C-alpha cells in the first residue's frame, strides 16, 4: 500500500511525522511504500536564513506563544526517542535546492533514506541547508554521487513545483500532509498509535475480505466429501 507524504524539511512537525511513519512501517505486518513529496512552506525566506524567533515576528506570532508551540513539538520528539531535536534554536531558509536534491535522491532509489537523513541534519545538529554549497556538502556526506550536476541543471525544479501543486489540488493548507492509498488524507501531525490505526483501516479496505455466501450443496476435502445442504 502506498503512503504519500508531503512535507518541508524545515517543518518540525514534518520531521516528527517522518520518524513516526518509519516506526509504523517497521511495526506493520504488511509492506508499506512511503513516497515523499515536496512542499515549500517559506520559499521567500532570505538565502542566508533567519531564526525561528525572527520568523515569529515576521508572521505576527507573539514570541511567547510561538515558543510554547515549538517547545511542545520538541517534547513530543523527545517522548518518541527522537533526540536531539532543535525545533526552536535553529535557522530557517528557502528549501528549493534541498527539495531538488531530495527529488534526485528518490530517482536514485534512496529517497526515504535521504529525506530522513536531511531531517536529522536540520533538526539534530541543527544545520542550515539553504545554499547550493551547503546542500552539496550534505550530499557528499551521505554519498549521493551526481548531486552537483542535478542541482546545477535545475532539472528537478519542475518536479518539486508539481508536487506542491498536487498537494494544493488535494486541499493541503499546511504541512505535513499524508495520503493513504489515494483515498484518505491526514492533514497535520498525529501520534504513532493513531497513525497505525489509520494505516490499518486503509489496509483493511485496500484488501477487503471475501464475503461468504451460504447454501452450498456440499464440499470435498482431503478426507472425502460431505453433504452440507439438502
Amino acid at each position: 500500500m502506498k503512503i504519500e507524504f508531503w512535507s518541508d524539511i524545515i517543518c518540525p512537525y514534518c520531521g516528527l511525522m517522518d520518524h513516526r511513519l518509519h516506526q509504523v512501517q517497521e511495526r506493520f505486518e504488511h509492506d508499506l511504500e512511503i513516497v515523499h513529496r515536496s512542499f515549500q512552506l517559506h520559499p521567500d525566506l532570505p538565502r542566508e536564513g533567519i531564526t525561528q524567533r525572527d520568523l515569529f515576528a515576521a508572521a505576527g506570532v507573539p514570541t511567547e506563544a510561538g515558543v510554547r508551540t515549538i517547545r511542545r513539538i520538541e517534547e513530543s520528539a523527545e517522548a518518541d526517542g527522537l533526540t536531539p531535536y532543535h525545533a526552536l534554536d535553529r535557522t530557517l531558509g528557502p528549501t528549493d535546492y534541498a527539495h531538488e536534491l531530495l527529488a534526485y535522491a528518490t530517482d536514485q532509489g534512496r529517497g526515504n533514506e535521504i529525506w530522513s537523513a536531511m531531517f536529522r541534519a536540520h533538526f539534530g545538529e541543527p544545520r542550515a541547508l539553504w545554499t547550493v554549497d551547503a546542500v552539496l556538502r550534505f550530499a557528499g556526506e551521505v554519498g549521493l554521487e551526481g548531486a552537483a550536476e542535478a542541482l546545477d541543471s535545475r532539472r528537478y525544479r519542475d518536479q518539486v513545483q508539481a508536487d506542491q501543486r498536487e498537494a494544493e489540488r488535494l486541499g493541503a493548507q499546511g504541512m505535513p500532509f499524508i495520503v493513504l492509498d489515494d483515498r484518505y488524507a491526514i492533514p497535520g501531525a498525529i501520534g504513532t498509535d493513531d497513525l497505525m490505526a489509520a494505516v490499518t483501516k486503509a489496509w483493511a479496505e485496500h484488501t477487503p475480505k471475501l464475503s461468504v455466501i451460504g447454501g452450498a450443496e456440499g464440499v470435498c476435502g482431503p478426507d472425502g466429501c460431505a453433504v452440507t445442504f439438502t
Side-chain angles (χ1 to χ4, degrees):
M1 187 178 78
K2 182 172 68 174
I3 300 175
E4 292 179 280
F5 176 33
W6 275 268
S7 64
D8 196 356
I9 207 68
I10 57 175
C11 160
Y13 276 127
C14 296
L16 186 56
M17 286 307 295
D18 178 77
H19 179 69
R20 290 173 176 173
L21 274 170
H22 285 97
Q23 285 185 319
V24 167
Q25 188 179 40
E26 291 175 4
R27 288 165 45 187
F28 199 62
E29 59 182 338
H30 305 289
D31 290 337
L32 299 174
E33 178 191 8
I34 299 174
V35 179
H36 285 270
R37 306 288 191 199
S38 292
F39 194 103
Q40 296 182 73
L41 287 171
H42 301 291
D44 297 326
L45 288 179
R47 189 64 67 181
E48 65 271 18
I50 65 172
T51 69
Q52 178 65 74
R53 288 177 173 83
D54 286 341
L55 185 60
F56 291 152
V61 176
T63 299
E64 185 176 344
V67 168
R68 281 199 305 269
T69 297
I70 298 299
R71 289 299 189 202
R72 282 196 293 268
I73 299 173
E74 291 178 333
E75 290 166 4
S76 294
E78 183 176 4
D80 279 17
L82 187 59
T83 56
Y85 201 76
H86 303 286
L88 182 61
D89 297 319
R90 61 182 176 126
T91 62
L92 302 87
T95 51
D96 49 350
Y97 294 127
H99 281 291
E100 289 173 37
L101 180 79
L102 292 165
Y104 171 67
T106 298
D107 265 2
Q108 300 302 302
R110 298 181 63 190
N112 287 342
E113 171 199 352
I114 303 301
W115 271 90
S116 294
M118 190 173 284
F119 277 127
R120 293 303 301 132
H122 177 57
F123 291 107
E125 297 185 20
R127 188 185 301 193
L129 294 163
W130 328 135
T131 66
V132 170
D133 287 345
V135 171
L136 288 180
R137 279 196 298 272
F138 168 82
E141 291 168 10
V142 297
L144 191 60
E145 297 180 358
E149 186 278 330
L151 291 189
D152 184 62
S153 68
R154 305 304 303 268
R155 57 191 169 98
Y156 289 94
R157 179 166 44 187
D158 289 346
Q159 180 178 324
V160 169
Q161 293 172 349
D163 276 357
Q164 183 138 351
R165 289 194 299 270
E166 178 64 6
E168 292 167 348
R169 185 190 70 80
L170 292 171
Q173 297 181 351
M175 292 294 109
F177 186 75
I178 297 170
V179 174
L180 306 177
D181 199 31
D182 293 323
R183 292 183 300 152
Y184 294 103
I186 302 174
I190 60 175
T192 305
D193 289 342
D194 289 337
L195 181 59
M196 175 66 84
V199 169
T200 300
K201 174 180 171 63
W203 180 273
E205 297 182 8
H206 172 80
T207 54
K209 294 182 179 180
L210 291 175
S211 297
V212 177
I213 299 174
E217 181 177 342
V219 62
C220 294
D223 299 324
C225 300
V227 174
T228 59
F229 178 80
T230 58

